[in-house]
Amino acid sequence: MKSRILVVAAALALAAPLIPTASAAAVRLAPPNISLANVKAHLGQLQSIASANGGNRAHGRPGYLASANYVKAQLDAAGFQTALQSFTYNGATGYNVIADWPGGNPDDVLMVGAHLDSVTAGPGINDNGSGSASILENALEVSRQALQPTKHLRFAWWGAEELGLRGSQFYVNNLSTTDRAKIKGYLNFDMVGSPNAGYFVYDGDNSDGVGSGPGPTGSAELERTLQDYFASIGVPTRGTDFDGRSDYGPFISRGIPAGGTFTGAEGIKSSAQAQLWGGTAGQAFDPCYHRSCDTTANINDTALDRNADAIAYAVWTIATAVPPVTVWSDDFETATGWTANPNGTDTAATGLWERGDPEATTSSGTKQVGTTVSGVNDLVTGRLAGASAGDHDVDGGLTSIQSPPVTLPASGVLRVSFSWYLAHGSNASSADFFRVKVVGGTTTTVFQQLGAASDRDGGWAASTADISAFAGQTVRVVFEAADALGASLVEAGVDDVMITRQ
């Protein structure tokens, strides 16, 4: 694994987790409990391979090819369609192991990947034998259970990650545009057994509000599926940023949704993190990161077991899900009947919601985002920039905008999803907010992001809320933004609203 910065923050979203569910017609088995003993047996094999080949499994070294052949042989025996994809880097041949499970929709592919190479300094058992062994045992369990997913399942073990994501970059770059479009999600598992473990999930929806922003549309759902597993076993998680430092990077750069877990590398565990997860504050999550001591002794069995099971939960849950049906959507490229100030009670004097092509503003960073998620137009609080950042921001209280009526199906799991941002200056407060309501027989706030007395730059995030309680009703979606206490700098935007039925 390449070095990365951990992002630890809590979302204020009220939206319920989005967990894909299959219909009764789908062939579906409960997610299995992955055998820790089997995962550790794979790690033992990788350790033996390194020990027999100069102490490492690095790109271009005999230990790497032996590792790839071990993985491929296991998969061949289990009935996967496998290939060693070769590439050249630094004058040496590298290999990706690609394994397809027969069946599933070939136009709807779920990929699960981990890098197989180590650094030259050591055998790379946590980094990243842990991820490689965990997804290998998951793939073998797919075979044992004769899983019949609705999605097509593809597993991958990447070469030369430690030299700059070379294997995964080669794979993605050499896919045709058509084949890239078939990959609807990529799950990455890089270091999942760190001895001083944390429990991090890639921040697909940018709910942390820092770093590189959200992943491509669909990443939020992958994040929530993994979060849901850890919640089910009582283990809290925190976000880690999509900083592009592992093999999801080439995928998200081409617009493919991604997610995954991570237990920490050379970063230092804080006192708060030690209180949250146990372990030792003031020490690295993995003291043997990129060192010769990254052996089978450098593994936290509990973390490895939990993450292997989290992979299984995600694979079985997502791969057997029936794709949702779109009930209603709006990308704001044309006027479809949204109403500003629908109740006639708004108090904001400026920065009123409108549909249009937004102009960018900056004040200690981006405040009004000048680009949309799709197309040219979005919903924005005062689309013009003006001479200064505060000329057209929300001032004086509340501004709201309401969708046209939407009649919901009488059954099924119903969800509303949307892209959004809230930006404000350090003069804001928790009285300021971005809020989403659904109005039907009752009115329910389904999402809320509060302001704070700190600078928050604008950046698109994605969120989803369960609105099944409104099944069979005709509803309207309402977006609100408020500068509710003093004259603070507040901006908000919305794009790509969708209601789906599962």
Side-chain angles (χ1 to χ4, degrees):
M1 165 177 279
K2 307 298 288 183
S3 300
R4 65 179 78 206
I5 299 172
L6 299 179
V7 178
V8 181
L12 296 176
L14 301 179
L18 172 56
I19 306 302
T21 52
S23 71
V27 178
R28 185 172 185 183
L29 299 172
N33 181 9
I34 298 299
S35 167
L36 175 63
N38 287 356
V39 176
K40 293 191 71 175
H42 298 312
L43 291 179
Q45 291 294 323
L46 295 176
Q47 176 71 67
S48 296
I49 288 169
S51 298
N53 290 280
N56 67 66
R57 300 179 301 100
H59 168 73
R61 306 295 178 92
Y64 181 77
L65 181 55
S67 299
N69 285 333
Y70 168 74
V71 170
K72 185 177 185 301
Q74 295 282 313
L75 297 163
D76 286 340
F80 280 81
Q81 297 169 348
T82 66
L84 278 182
Q85 181 187 46
S86 63
F87 60 93
T88 301
Y89 182 71
N90 273 357
T93 302
Y95 300 92
N96 296 323
V97 182
I98 310 297
D100 285 83
W101 181 241
N105 183 353
D107 295 323
D108 187 2
V109 177
L110 174 66
M111 284 197 72
V112 183
H115 79 84
L116 186 57
D117 64 315
S118 74
V119 292
T120 56
I125 297 304
N126 185 40
D127 184 16
N128 181 40
S130 62
S132 291
S134 295
I135 71 167
L136 174 57
E137 188 57 27
N138 268 272
L140 298 179
E141 190 63 26
V142 165
S143 173
R144 294 185 196 108
Q145 295 201 15
L147 189 67
Q148 298 178 45
T150 55
K151 294 180 183 291
H152 180 75
L153 269 176
R154 181 175 300 150
F155 291 82
W157 290 259
W158 308 116
E161 185 270 358
E162 298 291 1
L163 300 178
L165 319 182
R166 301 299 173 177
S168 56
Q169 188 73 68
F170 180 86
Y171 174 82
V172 173
N173 285 353
N174 283 276
L175 290 171
S176 67
T177 301
T178 298
D179 285 340
R180 274 199 303 269
K182 293 177 181 179
I183 302 173
K184 306 304 184 184
Y186 171 71
L187 292 169
N188 189 72
F189 298 97
D190 191 352
M191 300 182 69
V192 296
S194 301
N196 194 24
Y199 292 88
F200 299 97
V201 177
Y202 289 112
D203 185 18
D205 62 359
N206 197 35
S207 56
D208 293 345
V210 296
S212 300
T217 300
S219 300
E221 286 77 7
L222 299 178
E223 176 189 11
R224 288 175 188 138
T225 301
L226 290 162
Q227 287 173 327
D228 187 70
Y229 173 74
F230 284 105
S232 75
I233 62 171
V235 175
T237 60
R238 293 294 182 264
T240 186
D241 188 37
F242 270 134
D243 57 12
R245 302 298 297 272
S246 191
D247 290 298
Y248 59 80
F251 288 85
I252 64 175
S253 72
R254 297 301 186 98
I256 297 170
T261 64
F262 171 53
T263 55
E266 81 278 29
I268 303 301
K269 179 176 278 188
S270 69
S271 296
Q273 290 167 337
Q275 289 178 353
L276 190 66
W277 295 315
T280 306
Q283 291 188 11
F285 294 97
D286 182 359
C288 288
Y289 175 71
H290 284 187
R291 297 173 60 192
S292 61
C293 57
D294 187 10
T295 66
T296 51
N298 189 48
I299 289 290
N300 181 319
D301 283 0
T302 300
L304 183 65
D305 191 25
R306 288 170 171 171
N307 277 274
D309 289 341
I311 295 167
Y313 180 87
V315 169
W316 264 252
T317 300
I318 297 168
T320 61
V322 175
V325 175
T326 300
V327 174
W328 171 84
S329 65
D330 199 339
D331 60 6
F332 306 110
E333 294 310 293
T334 60
T336 58
W338 288 74
T339 304
N341 191 15
N343 297 319
T345 56
D346 289 1
T347 55
T350 62
L352 308 183
W353 283 108
E354 60 180 309
R355 183 185 71 88
D357 183 358
E359 296 181 355
T361 68
T362 59
S363 177
S364 300
T366 299
K367 290 301 176 283
Q368 181 159 288
V369 179
T371 56
T372 62
V373 177
S374 67
V376 174
N377 299 314
D378 62 5
L379 293 183
V380 62
T381 52
R383 72 175 190 86
L384 298 177
S388 66
D391 281 354
H392 298 286
D393 73 318
V394 183
D395 277 327
L398 176 76
T399 177
S400 64
I401 193 165
Q402 178 175 277
S403 75
V406 181
T407 300
L408 301 179
S411 62
V413 178
L414 301 170
R415 296 185 175 94
V416 59
S417 61
F418 47 91
S419 295
W420 66 278
Y421 68 85
L422 174 69
H424 52 71
S426 58
N427 57 353
S429 74
S430 60
D432 305 327
F433 60 81
F434 167 76
R435 185 176 290 163
V436 184
K437 294 179 177 179
V438 175
V439 179
T442 59
T443 297
T444 301
T445 296
V446 297
F447 180 90
Q448 178 173 274
Q449 176 70 53
L450 299 179
S454 59
D455 187 76
R456 179 187 177 100
D457 289 341
W460 287 108
S463 291
T464 300
D466 191 318
I467 59 170
S468 301
F470 292 90
Q473 299 182 30
T474 297
V475 302
R476 290 170 172 82
V477 180
V478 177
F479 295 107
E480 297 178 342
D483 175 11
L485 186 64
S488 50
L489 177 58
V490 175
E491 297 278 14
V494 172
D495 205 356
D496 290 356
V497 185
M498 180 181 297
I499 295 176
T500 59
R501 176 184 181 273
Q502 192 80 45

